Amino acid sequence: MRYKATRLGCAFLTALLMIGSAVLVQAAENAPDLKRKINIAGKQRMLSQRMAQAACFQAVGVKRKKQAAIMAQAQDAFANGLKALRYGSVELRINAIRDLDALAELDVVDGLWPAYFAALADGADDVAGLDEVSAQSGPILTAANAVVVALEATNTDASVGAELVRLVNVAGRQRMLTQRAAKEFCLIAAGVNVDDNRKALSDTLALFERSLNGLMYGDADMGLVEAPTDDILMQLAFTADLWNTVRAPFQKAVDIGRAGSIERLTVVVNIDAVLKAADEAVWMYENI
């Protein structure tokens, strides 16, 4: 049977072509958007710990004015990040999360956030309030990380290479580990759950260093391939050099269970440079 071309038939074919083009455009947009979402969601992990370490250093009296500004900025960024992930953001250049599993994990973060916000204010004002900061900073970090894991799992159509998605995730986690280490160090200095925080800080140092080595040279067990470009390798090496400025006071706190004024100041003065270098590596991965 032969079919005659009609206006209706032509319109139908045109519609199919338009749908096909839209699918291609959507696929082209999905790859960078997924990497960007994982980057922003990963940054939420870091901010959860940055707020805690800033509150702690305020409480123990190390550069209080600076730490108050850091905590306020981190709180604003965290709240804006939650909104951006849920509703999309032109400023942060991400579309709204649509995956139901990722949204469910985001709901958990939303539920924990108000109480954590209040605990941070109390902890910054009084060392006695740091127990609650310590208690709440773990669950909100776990919840924020679950959002990242759920987003990583949405890469079912391989619009982004699985290896690259993993690299963006782990490189982003490095930012968080700098802040978690500073938090655990400060809690030791403040005398809060010292034995638990010594163990936690030891684990944080080990994870940061193994992950950094894996990002540079590969680690099959962690699902990491070696740095894909020379520029990224150099940035990771730069991060490692900066990390060495805070490594000694961190390890001393682990070893003896306390931190003196010199060690506290060393960490406060240098930790943001490590964070900035680690953050730059994430953006380099995202823009591959």
Side-chain angles (χ1 to χ4, degrees):
M1 180 182 294
R2 297 178 62 189
Y3 293 90
K4 293 176 64 177
T6 64
R7 288 185 179 179
L8 181 60
C10 290
F12 178 71
L13 289 172
T14 300
L16 285 177
L17 289 172
M18 290 177 66
I19 291 170
S21 298
V23 169
L24 289 174
V25 170
Q26 185 180 27
E29 292 174 350
N30 279 344
D33 187 58
L34 178 59
K35 289 187 291 182
R36 180 110 185 117
K37 277 196 181 82
I38 290 173
N39 184 350
I40 298 301
K43 188 175 181 180
Q44 295 293 95
R45 298 178 297 194
M46 179 276 289
L47 291 168
S48 76
Q49 303 304 286
R50 185 164 176 76
M51 291 181 280
Q53 64 98 1
C56 182
F57 280 118
Q58 280 186 78
V60 299
V62 182
K63 292 190 175 291
R64 286 183 56 87
K65 186 174 180 179
K66 175 184 177 181
Q67 298 304 321
I70 287 173
M71 190 171 80
Q73 290 165 0
Q75 287 172 326
D76 286 345
F78 189 85
N80 289 336
L82 285 176
K83 292 178 183 177
L85 290 166
R86 187 174 297 280
Y87 303 113
S89 169
V90 173
E91 179 184 1
L92 295 180
R93 305 193 311 278
I94 57 172
N95 298 320
I97 290 176
R98 298 301 181 196
D99 180 73
L100 294 180
D101 290 337
L103 285 171
E105 300 297 354
L106 196 62
D107 288 341
V108 177
V109 182
D110 275 326
L112 294 170
W113 173 229
Y116 187 45
F117 183 90
L120 289 164
D122 291 341
D125 286 340
D126 187 346
V127 171
L130 292 177
D131 280 320
E132 191 63 23
V133 172
S134 179
Q136 293 195 35
S137 64
I140 200 165
L141 170 59
T142 298
N145 185 63
V147 177
V148 181
V149 173
L151 286 172
E152 186 175 353
T154 65
N155 191 38
T156 55
D157 63 353
S159 60
V160 186
E163 290 177 344
L164 181 55
V165 169
R166 179 66 178 159
L167 290 170
V168 173
N169 180 352
V170 174
R173 187 178 68 190
Q174 293 293 87
R175 298 176 298 195
M176 178 277 292
L177 292 173
T178 68
Q179 303 303 289
R180 190 171 80 182
K183 176 199 74 173
E184 291 157 352
F185 167 86
C186 184
L187 290 171
I188 293 169
V192 177
N193 301 323
V194 172
D195 289 341
D196 288 345
N197 279 302
R198 288 172 70 188
K199 173 62 167 60
L201 180 54
S202 179
D203 291 345
T204 298
L205 300 182
L207 181 57
F208 182 92
E209 288 162 6
R210 179 176 176 182
S211 299
L212 184 56
N213 189 72
L215 288 166
M216 294 174 74
Y217 306 114
D219 186 320
D221 290 338
M222 297 186 79
L224 300 174
V225 297
E226 64 183 18
T229 69
D230 289 341
D231 286 344
I232 289 177
L233 180 60
M234 290 176 62
Q235 184 64 30
L236 294 169
F238 177 56
T239 305
D241 286 342
L242 293 173
W243 175 251
N244 287 332
T245 64
V246 293
R247 182 62 170 80
F250 283 158
Q251 189 60 54
K252 186 174 180 179
V254 169
D255 292 340
I256 68 174
R258 61 180 184 274
S261 58
I262 294 176
E263 287 80 19
R264 298 180 198 188
L265 190 60
T266 298
V267 169
V268 166
V269 168
N270 291 286
I271 195 64
D272 278 5
V274 189
L275 172 61
K276 184 177 179 180
D279 186 54
E280 181 61 29
V282 185
W283 296 105
M284 293 171 77
Y285 277 115
E286 183 188 326
N287 287 291
I288 291 177

